[in-house]
Amino acid sequence: MNVTFEGRTVIVTGAAHGFGRAIALAFAARGAQVYACDVNADGLSETARLAAHADLKVHTHPVDVTDRAAVTAFVDGLAAATGRVDVLVNNAGGVLGQVGRPLEEVSEADWRSIFAVNVDGAFLFAQAAAPHMKRAGWGRIVNISSGAGLGVSLTGIQAYASAKAAQIGLTRQLAHELGQWGITVNNVAPGFVRSNPTTERQWERYGEEGQRRLLDGLALRRLGSPDDIAHAVLFFASEQAGWITGQVLSVDGGR
């Protein structure tokens, strides 16, 4: 299957490292004009450097996905410049440095901050991109959730598991709302991947025994990579996936 995105304009949020960086580079390698954003300016600079080193074109922009005005300005601005918004990948999210704690110790601010970046950000970007996709009669929205949204979070963070489940619900709802305009909305639910500083710390906390248990619980007996997640996103965004919408694809090595 030859997947190409020549002439397509692609937005990738949370592109400063990990999944987002891999997704942005994968689209650019297949001909897309990629607009990558994050609040992490240093990480975005590294993404841009890696793209340039590979002779790929990735435009990087600092954007806070929880800021409605900033999101709208970013999406409308690139649509005005390129004439289109074809693919939106809502990858921004995470645990924001939080760790698992007993329920009664979780503050309202900590709860809401995780929901803001994982759910509100996906909603705001979809809201900004949808009018441009509707005018074109074609579009792809791919949300990146987590196995935590389908079961129990390995982190023990209540807000993270809840937010990822909410994002999956948003995916299904938007798929039904936007389908009549030729817009598909799907979700990739990664398993545990060592993809950023947070997951590296999590991996180290498991220790040798915990790491072995995690691997033994996977059918493939190995961890995946950010590229494994990127490949799933490429499929959902492709022409070949044009009759697939409202779906969640677990990319987790077979838990």
Side-chain angles (χ1 to χ4, degrees):
M1 183 171 65
N2 182 26
V3 177
T4 180
F5 295 94
E6 292 286 344
R8 297 294 191 193
T9 296
V10 178
I11 298 172
V12 182
T13 72
H17 52 57
F19 298 157
R21 177 181 289 165
I23 292 164
L25 295 177
F27 273 110
R30 289 158 179 81
Q33 187 167 190
V34 178
Y35 289 80
C37 66
D38 204 297
V39 292
N40 181 345
D42 290 341
L44 275 182
S45 295
E46 178 63 10
T47 298
R49 187 192 69 78
L50 291 170
H53 181 72
D55 199 25
L56 301 175
K57 188 67 173 179
V58 175
H59 308 271
T60 57
H61 301 265
V63 179
D64 179 352
V65 302
T66 69
D67 183 334
R68 181 188 295 272
V71 169
T72 302
F74 172 64
V75 175
D76 289 350
L78 75 87
T82 65
R84 59 199 303 156
V85 176
D86 298 301
V87 179
L88 165 64
V89 182
N90 284 311
N91 170 73
V95 300
L96 305 180
Q98 296 185 38
V99 297
R101 290 167 290 167
L103 175 64
E104 58 270 27
E105 295 179 13
V106 178
S107 70
E108 180 179 357
D110 284 346
W111 171 269
R112 292 191 181 281
S113 64
I114 285 182
F115 260 79
V117 70
N118 288 280
V119 185
D120 296 356
F123 174 79
L124 293 174
F125 259 93
Q127 189 177 53
H132 304 289
M133 293 180 175
K134 285 180 177 181
R135 281 194 290 272
W138 195 97
R140 299 283 190 267
I141 299 175
V142 185
N143 297 323
I144 310 299
S145 62
S146 168
L150 295 168
V152 177
S153 174
L154 295 175
T155 66
I157 299 172
Q158 304 87 346
Y160 184 69
S162 302
K164 289 305 189 183
Q167 193 205 71
I168 289 170
L170 177 65
T171 298
R172 292 174 174 143
Q173 192 65 37
L174 292 183
H176 280 268
E177 178 179 343
L178 300 176
Q180 62 186 299
W181 287 280
I183 303 167
T184 67
V185 188
N186 289 293
N187 197 292
V188 174
F192 181 81
V193 178
R194 296 169 64 185
S195 60
N196 57 52
T198 298
T199 53
E200 283 300 319
R201 288 192 295 271
Q202 187 178 348
W203 177 252
E204 290 171 5
R205 283 198 301 271
Y206 289 153
E208 288 188 15
E209 184 178 345
Q211 292 168 7
R212 186 169 54 254
R213 278 200 307 270
L214 183 90
L215 293 174
D216 287 346
L218 303 180
L220 293 176
R221 298 298 194 276
R222 65 173 179 84
L223 295 181
S225 72
D227 285 338
D228 290 312
I229 308 308
H231 295 156
V233 173
L234 293 174
F235 170 66
F236 273 144
S238 70
E239 292 284 359
Q240 288 85 347
W243 208 49
I244 300 172
T245 195
Q247 300 304 305
V248 182
L249 177 61
S250 294
V251 184
D252 59 9
R255 286 188 64 187

